[in-house]
Amino acid sequence: MTPTPTSTSASPARRALVAALASAALLGAAAVPAVAAAPASVTSAASAAAFAGHSDSFAGHSDFARLGYQKAVAARVLKGVFEQGDTEVVDRFVRSDYIQHNPLAPDGAETLKNLGVSVHQQFPDFRYDIKRVISEGDLVLVHSNVVATPGARGQAVFDIFRFQGGKIAEHWDVGQNVPESSANGNDMFSTESWPRTEQPGPGWLTAYNKKLVTKAFDQLLVRKDLSAIDRYWGSEYHQHNPTIADGVQGVKSGLGGYFEAFPQLTVTPKRVIAEGDLVAVHSHYVNAPGERGMAVVDLFRVRNGKIVEHWDVLQDVPETSANDNGMF
């Protein structure tokens, strides 16, 4: 959700590196706070490896255990490949016919392995700082701060992974540079609403919160009806889009100006992923007919039936792609 119509891409060289890294398949991190909420039996690297090849056994297990497994595997692969240059984790956890939607990376697990080796050699301090992870059905969403060199602000990145047979089968991502300053005083990653935790809330809230955010998103972004803010947004509303002021009035002013500037704006949701109090919407924003538009992930936090916090990442859809799959 953004009133910023201009490109958020980095220079071509840096964007090609970080976006390809950030996605040739999977982003990982040294810290995986959201995964910690999963059963201990599926959170460690060793446990994730132990389950590889035995995913059919999850058919009789709880959904909670399966989702925890998927989050642990995503984190294990990303950390292993990009921080350690470990290509064996790809053989264990990524399908050979892996489908890639990052426009800078071709399909296939071999591409991911080669990329991981190259990145680790060129940037031995490359880090993926995972901020939060959610999983629903066969999808996992990871929100990360990707930093190639120590001291850099890096990029804010959302990665979406689809699992099949216990392995990662498909990947989408959206990334943008972290700016020097913010109109709301919040960074692009922190949790400001109470309780200040990165972990998703209880699973029994998932269906209700997903339905609420889907309705709110449709009314506000798809139909461009600002009255949705009065109905669905809470008085304690924290904004992490660096171009929009904090609070309810900030989002009203920001989006109101955006809608006026682009009266032919179309927003098309592609997939919604929810867990507990966190709901992510992956969408195609097109400011005017004929434009390629932007790939956007909006992440909302719901508390007591109201949206109280929002993070997002935006990336221009490029003219060409290294694969034939499109960004959506």
Side-chain angles (χ1 to χ4, degrees), residues 21 63 87 92 120 165 173 189 197 205 219 303:
L21 305 174
D63 192 53
T87 60
R92 293 177 184 172
H120 184 63
D173 73 344
F189 307 102
T197 175
L205 293 171
Q219 184 175 344
R303 304 294 294 179

Side-chain angles (χ1 to χ4, degrees), residues 107-190:
D107 286 331
E110 287 301 315
T111 296
L112 175 59
K113 290 196 288 187
N114 294 337
L115 180 62
V117 171
S118 177
V119 169
H120 184 63
Q121 290 175 346
Q122 296 180 57
F123 301 95
D125 296 318
F126 205 101
R127 291 293 176 265
Y128 290 89
D129 183 8
I130 292 181
K131 301 300 183 179
R132 48 191 61 82
V133 185
I134 62 174
S135 185
E136 182 187 19
D138 59 358
L139 298 175
V140 175
L141 179 134
V142 183
H143 184 201
S144 306
N145 183 196
V146 180
V147 180
T149 56
R153 292 187 300 274
Q155 285 200 330
V157 178
F158 279 107
D159 287 275
I160 299 172
F161 315 118
R162 180 177 65 84
F163 276 72
Q164 182 178 341
K167 291 188 175 184
I168 294 168
E170 193 165 5
H171 169 260
W172 302 260
D173 73 344
V174 183
Q176 77 176 73
N177 291 337
V178 176
E180 292 185 14
S181 60
S182 171
N184 49 61
N186 303 320
D187 64 36
M188 294 187 72
F189 307 102
S190 63

Side-chain angles (χ1 to χ4, degrees), residues 49 64 71 91 95 197 201 220 225 233 241 251 253 307 310:
F64 183 71
K71 291 191 284 188
D91 294 325
R95 289 174 58 95
T197 175
L220 179 61
D225 180 357
W233 267 248
N241 179 305
V251 72
S253 299
I307 293 172
H310 168 258

Side-chain angles (χ1 to χ4, degrees), residues 26-314:
L26 321 144
L27 291 177
V32 191
V35 176
S41 60
V42 297
T43 54
S44 71
S47 295
F51 279 107
H54 301 284
S55 59
D56 289 343
S57 64
F58 275 91
H61 285 247
S62 70
D63 192 53
F64 183 71
R66 181 178 56 80
L67 298 181
Y69 164 79
Q70 290 178 171
K71 291 191 284 188
V73 167
R76 173 69 180 96
V77 170
L78 303 173
K79 180 179 174 64
V81 170
F82 293 111
E83 293 191 350
Q84 303 169 10
D86 179 4
T87 60
E88 291 184 4
V89 295
V90 178
D91 294 325
R92 293 177 184 172
F93 300 117
V94 180
R95 289 174 58 95
S96 60
D97 59 352
Y98 164 74
I99 301 168
Q100 177 63 260
H101 293 272
N102 181 299
L104 298 170
D107 286 331
E110 287 301 315
T111 296
L112 175 59
K113 290 196 288 187
N114 294 337
L115 180 62
V117 171
S118 177
V119 169
H120 184 63
Q121 290 175 346
Q122 296 180 57
F123 301 95
D125 296 318
F126 205 101
R127 291 293 176 265
Y128 290 89
D129 183 8
I130 292 181
K131 301 300 183 179
R132 48 191 61 82
V133 185
I134 62 174
S135 185
E136 182 187 19
D138 59 358
L139 298 175
V140 175
L141 179 134
V142 183
H143 184 201
S144 306
N145 183 196
V146 180
V147 180
T149 56
R153 292 187 300 274
Q155 285 200 330
V157 178
F158 279 107
D159 287 275
I160 299 172
F161 315 118
R162 180 177 65 84
F163 276 72
Q164 182 178 341
K167 291 188 175 184
I168 294 168
E170 193 165 5
H171 169 260
W172 302 260
D173 73 344
V174 183
Q176 77 176 73
N177 291 337
V178 176
E180 292 185 14
S181 60
S182 171
N184 49 61
N186 303 320
D187 64 36
M188 294 187 72
F189 307 102
S190 63
T191 298
E192 300 299 328
S193 57
W194 185 90
R196 298 186 67 179
T197 175
E198 285 73 32
Q199 297 182 12
W204 60 268
L205 293 171
T206 300
Y208 174 84
N209 289 336
K210 182 176 184 178
K211 184 176 181 180
L212 182 148
V213 168
T214 299
K215 288 182 177 180
F217 191 93
D218 178 73
Q219 184 175 344
L220 179 61
L221 277 307
V222 177
R223 293 189 279 141
K224 300 187 283 290
D225 180 357
L226 291 172
S227 69
I229 298 172
D230 297 322
R231 180 176 182 180
Y232 293 107
W233 267 248
S235 57
E236 177 209 7
Y237 179 66
H238 302 277
Q239 177 65 257
H240 295 273
N241 179 305
T243 68
I244 303 178
D246 214 15
V248 171
Q249 190 55 49
V251 72
K252 282 185 178 180
S253 299
L255 286 180
Y258 184 34
F259 296 158
E260 289 181 6
F262 299 96
Q264 293 183 288
L265 166 73
T266 60
V267 176
T268 307
K270 299 297 183 177
R271 51 192 54 83
V272 181
I273 307 167
E275 183 180 356
D277 56 1
L278 297 175
V279 183
V281 185
H282 182 207
S283 307
H284 187 194
Y285 283 56
V286 180
N287 289 333
E291 295 184 356
R292 291 186 299 274
M294 297 178 291
V296 179
V297 172
D298 289 286
L299 178 63
F300 302 91
R301 191 183 198 199
V302 181
R303 304 294 294 179
N304 299 320
K306 297 289 184 179
I307 293 172
V308 297
E309 196 154 8
H310 168 258
W311 305 260
D312 67 356
V313 172
L314 304 81

